[in-house]
Amino acid sequence: MKISVLGGGPAGLYFAISMKLRDSSHDITIFERNRADDTFGWGVVLSDDTMSSLGANDPVSDRMIRENFAYWDDVKVVRGEKSMTSSGHGFAGIGRKVLLLLLQERAQQVGVTLSYETEISAERIEKLRTECDLVVAADGLNSQTRRLYAEAFKPEIDERLNHFVWLGTHQKFDDAFTFIFEQTQHGWIWAHAYQFDNDTATFIVECSPQVFEAYGFAELSQPESIALCEKIFAKHLGGHSLMTNANHIRGSAWIQFPRVTCENWYFNNVVLLGDASATAHFSIGSGSKLGMESAIMLADQLCSGAPLETALHTYQEERKLQVLRITSAARNSTEWFEELGRYLNLDMMQFTYALLTRSQRISHENLRERDPKWLAAAETWFQGQAGNASSRAPMFAPFKLRDMELSNRVVVSPMAQYKAKDGNPTDWHFVHYAERAKGGAGLVFTEMLCVSPEGRITPGCPCIGASQVADWSRLVNFTHTETDAKICAQIGHAGRKGSTRLAWDGIDQPLPEVDAWPLLSASAIPLMDGNVVPKAMDRADMDMVTQQFVEAVHAADSAGFDMIEMHGAHGYLLASFISPVTNKRNDEYGGSLENRMRYPLEVFNAMRAAWPENKPMTVRISAHDWMGIDGTTPDDAVAISALFKEAGADAINVSSGQTDKAEQPVYGRMFQVPFADRVRQEVGLPTLVAGNIYEPDHINSILMAGRADLVLLARPHLADPYWTLHAAVELGDTEQSWPAPYEGGRRQANTIAERKRSMGI
């Protein structure tokens, strides 16, 4: 193949090397606008995993790179006068200039043609496209090729909030990758520092837009800006200066990180590589690492024997998914630093843990593998904060709301069963909830218990009122007598989402007209075309439904429930008032968020007044309607939670979505945790969270980082009623109690698990 590579950075060079190693007959030329030894960064970070891939691909360049590495195993966090170090992280740094020179040398060894100080215009790119079999655009985050064929590549560039400047120093940071957080007169400013050769370290300074503006960095020259950074970080620099190699840039050299994504990575015979196709924030590692790994896969596909179109398509589909995992982690890390103000008041132990796990790539058990001593200290700290003299994992820490004391932080999430008869719970409900109470969770939620027959979602949904007290009492009494679990009644009204079929008969589909019942909602908007059109509630309707909620609360108290939750999420009746998607009223209950919250707060206050003072009450909210600015947003969720806190809510159960069928949710592992985290930190109220959480690792990471206080699992508890007991076995926790009749099972499960661990299974 005749191949032109646009851009002589690490990705372009390594691709050319990889192609030549697979077939030396390829005619490959690299075109670079700068001189061979020009570079505008400092160090490049490469992980152990990346180096393993490079070693398998080309042992020669791998050896050349390793001989110039600066290694570190520790991450050190310095905040003001306090510092904390954890180990086992396994990274290495190399100077970007050295890396480029080594890759240039290797490229020449294998026969790649290098053309420097060569400007490539749009016309030249188009000409190369017609002359070559393949054009590889490795021309960086400001890729001219990507701009030229923007209609084909469909790029999106998201300029992030924080400002940063890439500096170097001869101060030694050779003992750890160091994060330094300094509080100044204008707010917090921080540095990412790491050694990359014997006498030079990268020193990236970052701050929020507010601090950037307050210091006037945009108006300062580079020398003035550097001098100010030297003053801020003087005690960490040991008399050494900060240096820039960005003199070619006009102005201060501070930038905001551009997050680049592209819908397509190739067009005809042009393919994007490295930062041209996708960027990963510097806080999780190196774009060079990502680009070099992509270069290996691209070379593999091009040399697979498949037609060019097939090879490029396979490369795009497979590598794009791998890069998405990294860029998603990078997004999490980026946003953590953008929201740093939430976390700076955390205890140093929790702050360090939150920083280490910010991207979600490093999990709780992964930290145990890296530094078991440090993690054990963190777990002991967490248990101590919970008033427990223990070193068990965070999920097994006790928790208290008012007079309700939970033995652990695992919660069985509300899950509709659709097995009620005429609004009454059946033996199915007793067995379902009793089994999960026996399974070790600290708290068990009922599904939404409806305040009236007209408030049901389906004919199979249960109610709670005077006539259901006996059935619910039987369940509560069993739970209290036979298990350590507490039990919560989630109380709600379906609103416009009512009068629908059982889930397995067509979820949200309307009942036959003969079986349907009238509905109420904030506005007369049906759930879907063909569903019952609800009546927009008038004052009499509001008073009637409020009284139904109060009667439900009295019934829950009579049944002995430990806690109640008002369901104000997912488009049900109370949520229909809160969301602007479903509330189109023009009276005092519509319009502004304050007005839309008026009726839900009326109901909350009436419920709280009817519920015993010593028992807790929570509220479930939809923190995001997933409908852009037209719906409830995470910003709104903070204001909504603050209003419920003021009214006396003990915690907020943070959920999202299910408001309207036009939603466009973004799912992923623990996808609702950021909403709960924000509410917890900004409102100062405990939070509960669910949403694609299914491993002990997830729970422990969420709790230890202070992102929520209780963690709800739904589907895992459908698959395994004894999920918590089995999780304890998996973690080697022998303190977890089992029901007395199951003691033999506990001993055997722990023995088998210990045997597997000893065998390395």
Side-chain angles (χ1 to χ4, degrees):
M1 296 178 71
K2 181 178 176 60
I3 302 172
S4 289
V5 179
L6 310 182
L13 283 163
Y14 201 70
F15 165 76
I17 293 166
S18 300
M19 285 296 288
K20 276 288 193 177
L21 289 174
R22 285 157 176 77
D23 186 343
S24 62
S25 68
H26 291 309
D27 177 4
I28 304 176
T29 302
I30 294 178
F31 298 98
E32 169 57 50
R33 63 181 298 184
N34 298 303
R35 293 173 298 182
D37 59 352
D38 281 347
T39 181
F40 308 118
W42 289 92
V44 171
V45 179
L46 299 172
S47 68
D48 288 344
D49 287 344
T50 299
M51 289 311 301
S52 295
S53 299
L54 300 188
N57 184 63
D58 179 22
V60 176
S61 61
D62 174 69
R63 183 173 63 252
M64 295 165 68
I65 292 169
R66 288 183 185 274
E67 288 173 353
N68 290 273
F69 262 156
Y71 289 93
W72 66 87
D73 207 37
D74 293 352
V75 171
K76 185 177 182 180
V77 181
V78 182
R79 187 182 67 185
E81 301 303 317
K82 296 182 178 180
S83 68
M84 183 168 285
T85 301
S86 69
S87 191
H89 299 285
F91 283 91
I94 185 172
R96 180 176 171 84
K97 184 174 182 177
V98 171
L99 177 63
L100 286 174
L101 293 175
L102 291 173
L103 293 177
Q104 290 167 16
E105 179 183 347
R106 181 60 175 149
Q108 289 173 327
Q109 288 175 1
V110 298
V112 176
T113 301
L114 305 178
S115 178
Y116 287 94
E117 299 182 72
T118 304
E119 286 291 341
I120 302 294
S121 64
E123 292 76 17
R124 182 71 186 279
I125 295 172
E126 183 62 19
K127 188 171 186 292
L128 288 172
R129 189 169 73 84
T130 61
E131 295 175 346
C132 298
D133 297 300
L134 180 68
V135 174
V136 178
D139 47 351
L141 60 87
N142 294 313
S143 170
Q144 185 173 349
T145 312
R146 189 183 63 226
R147 286 198 301 272
L148 178 61
Y149 304 118
E151 289 187 6
F153 293 127
K154 298 180 181 178
E156 288 189 13
I157 301 176
D158 174 21
E159 188 173 76
R160 300 309 305 166
L161 298 176
N162 284 354
H163 297 258
F164 70 97
V165 61
W166 209 295
L167 303 172
T169 180
H170 290 310
Q171 167 65 321
K172 292 282 189 178
F173 289 98
D174 54 1
D175 58 340
F177 191 116
T178 305
F179 294 95
I180 304 168
F181 300 86
E182 282 294 321
Q183 188 170 23
T184 73
Q185 60 180 331
H186 294 305
W188 288 86
I189 189 167
W190 55 95
H192 312 240
Y194 58 91
Q195 200 83 9
F196 62 80
D197 64 26
N198 289 334
D199 62 359
T200 319
T202 295
F203 199 89
I204 304 170
V205 180
E206 184 180 7
C207 65
S208 69
Q210 294 79 15
V211 172
F212 181 81
E213 184 177 346
Y215 269 113
F217 280 121
E219 286 73 42
L220 299 181
S221 66
Q222 287 192 42
E224 290 171 332
S225 185
I226 290 171
L228 184 50
C229 290
E230 287 173 346
K231 181 179 179 181
I232 292 170
F233 294 101
K235 66 182 179 183
H236 305 284
L237 292 172
H240 292 275
S241 61
L242 292 173
M243 305 175 291
T244 181
N245 56 11
N247 293 318
H248 63 294
I249 298 176
R250 294 182 180 180
S252 69
W254 286 77
I255 60 174
Q256 292 167 274
F257 185 81
R259 188 162 67 198
V260 175
T261 57
C262 293
E263 184 175 325
N264 299 311
W265 283 15
Y266 74 95
F267 156 67
N268 199 318
N269 63 335
V270 181
V271 62
L272 301 178
L273 180 65
D275 284 348
S277 57
T279 57
H281 193 258
F282 59 83
S283 63
I284 71 158
S286 164
S288 299
K289 153 196 155 59
L290 206 61
M292 292 169 75
E293 290 172 342
S294 292
I296 294 173
M297 178 173 281
L298 179 57
D300 282 341
Q301 294 304 322
L302 289 170
C303 297
S304 66
L308 180 63
E309 164 72 22
T310 302
L312 294 179
H313 182 76
T314 302
Y315 162 69
Q316 172 180 284
E317 295 309 300
E318 294 188 7
R319 185 58 183 160
K320 193 175 183 182
L321 182 60
Q322 295 173 8
V323 169
L324 178 62
R325 295 190 182 103
I326 303 298
T327 55
S328 294
R331 181 194 64 226
N332 295 335
S333 180
T334 306
E335 292 176 355
W336 191 87
F337 282 105
E338 290 175 347
E339 297 156 357
L340 186 65
R342 297 181 194 167
Y343 310 111
L344 286 162
N345 291 325
L346 294 177
D347 181 275
M348 190 64 179
M349 179 68 79
Q350 193 163 54
F351 179 76
T352 300
Y353 184 99
L355 188 152
L356 292 173
T357 59
R358 68 192 181 279
S359 72
Q360 297 184 14
R361 284 200 304 166
I362 298 177
S363 67
H364 194 78
E365 292 307 312
N366 186 244
L367 277 177
R368 195 184 309 281
E369 292 177 6
R370 295 176 182 221
D371 193 342
K373 185 177 179 180
W374 184 86
L375 188 67
E379 290 179 329
T380 300
W381 172 87
F382 189 89
Q383 290 281 352
Q385 296 297 114
N388 203 28
S390 170
S391 58
R392 301 176 74 193
M395 63 186 285
F396 300 116
F399 187 70
K400 184 175 182 179
L401 284 175
R402 299 207 184 201
D403 285 354
M404 183 184 74
E405 298 186 28
L406 305 179
S407 59
N408 62 56
R409 309 293 184 99
V410 183
V411 181
V412 177
S413 190
M415 294 174 283
Q417 297 298 294
Y418 308 108
K419 298 291 283 186
K421 299 294 184 183
D422 299 321
N424 297 308
T426 64
D427 285 349
W428 176 276
H429 295 89
F430 180 83
V431 173
H432 170 75
Y433 292 115
E435 281 294 278
R436 281 143 189 85
K438 286 160 57 184
L443 179 64
V444 177
F445 268 82
T446 68
E447 62 200 277
M448 185 174 80
L449 307 183
C450 305
V451 299
S452 68
E454 295 76 23
R456 292 175 296 163
I457 311 167
T458 75
C461 292
C463 294
I464 184 165
S467 61
Q468 288 87 30
V469 168
D471 288 325
W472 291 122
S473 294
R474 179 181 175 225
L475 171 63
V476 172
N477 291 338
F478 176 88
T479 301
H480 290 164
T481 302
E482 301 293 350
T483 81
D484 295 330
K486 304 299 182 186
I487 188 163
C488 173
Q490 187 186 70
I491 301 174
H493 187 297
R496 74 176 189 139
K497 297 181 76 174
S499 195
T500 60
R501 302 177 190 181
L502 304 184
W504 43 84
D505 291 333
I507 193 165
D508 290 333
Q509 295 299 313
L511 288 169
E513 189 172 344
V514 66
D515 298 321
W517 56 81
L519 302 180
L520 297 171
S521 190
S523 299
I525 305 172
L527 178 61
M528 298 183 293
D529 289 343
N531 285 60
V532 175
V533 177
K535 175 190 176 186
M537 294 175 71
D538 58 26
R539 183 67 257 176
D541 296 322
M542 293 181 193
D543 291 341
M544 174 189 70
V545 171
T546 300
Q547 185 57 35
Q548 290 172 347
F549 271 95
V550 169
E551 291 169 0
V553 169
H554 287 310
D557 186 32
S558 297
F561 281 102
D562 302 290
M563 182 174 107
I564 59 170
E565 178 169 278
M566 186 183 91
H567 202 322
H570 301 165
Y572 295 126
L573 180 69
L574 299 179
S576 74
F577 278 85
I578 298 173
S579 173
V581 173
T582 48
N583 186 337
K584 303 299 182 182
R585 302 174 71 97
N586 55 15
D587 61 4
E588 67 270 31
Y589 293 96
S592 67
L593 178 61
E594 181 181 7
N595 282 359
R596 301 197 309 271
M597 285 292 295
R598 193 183 301 272
Y599 182 61
L601 285 170
E602 286 179 12
V603 174
F604 178 90
N605 288 328
M607 293 174 71
R608 182 66 263 187
W611 186 241
E613 182 68 22
N614 65 316
K615 292 184 178 183
M617 178 177 171
T618 63
V619 182
R620 173 169 276 206
I621 67 166
S622 285
H624 202 325
D625 283 338
W626 301 109
M627 296 183 68
I629 61 173
D630 294 330
T632 300
T633 67
D635 286 343
D636 294 328
V638 173
I640 291 165
S641 300
L643 289 169
F644 280 124
K645 177 186 178 182
E646 185 180 354
D650 295 292
I652 302 296
N653 189 343
V654 183
S655 191
S656 70
Q658 301 179 52
T659 297
D660 190 88
K661 295 298 181 181
E663 67 180 2
Q664 294 184 306
V666 179
Y667 295 123
R669 218 165 23 108
M670 303 182 280
F671 72 102
Q672 292 178 156
V673 171
F675 309 142
D677 183 15
R678 183 173 180 185
V679 168
R680 186 179 189 270
Q681 308 303 337
E682 296 188 20
V683 179
L685 200 62
T687 57
L688 303 84
V689 70
N692 207 15
I693 299 168
Y694 49 86
E695 294 179 356
D697 234 18
H698 299 162
I699 299 175
N700 288 322
S701 296
I702 292 166
L703 296 171
M704 187 69 229
R707 307 186 79 188
D709 299 274
L710 295 172
V711 181
L712 289 72
L713 289 82
R715 291 179 179 88
H717 278 120
L718 289 179
D720 181 3
Y722 300 96
W723 188 91
T724 306
L725 301 184
H726 295 153
V729 172
E730 178 185 334
L731 295 176
D733 185 293
T734 57
E735 296 181 45
Q736 176 64 41
S737 63
W738 288 43
Y742 296 174
E743 176 60 24
R746 185 187 72 85
R747 288 197 305 270
Q748 183 186 62
N750 283 320
T751 299
I752 293 172
E754 181 57 38
R755 185 182 302 141
K756 287 182 177 179
R757 281 190 287 270
S758 67
M759 297 171 63
I761 300 176

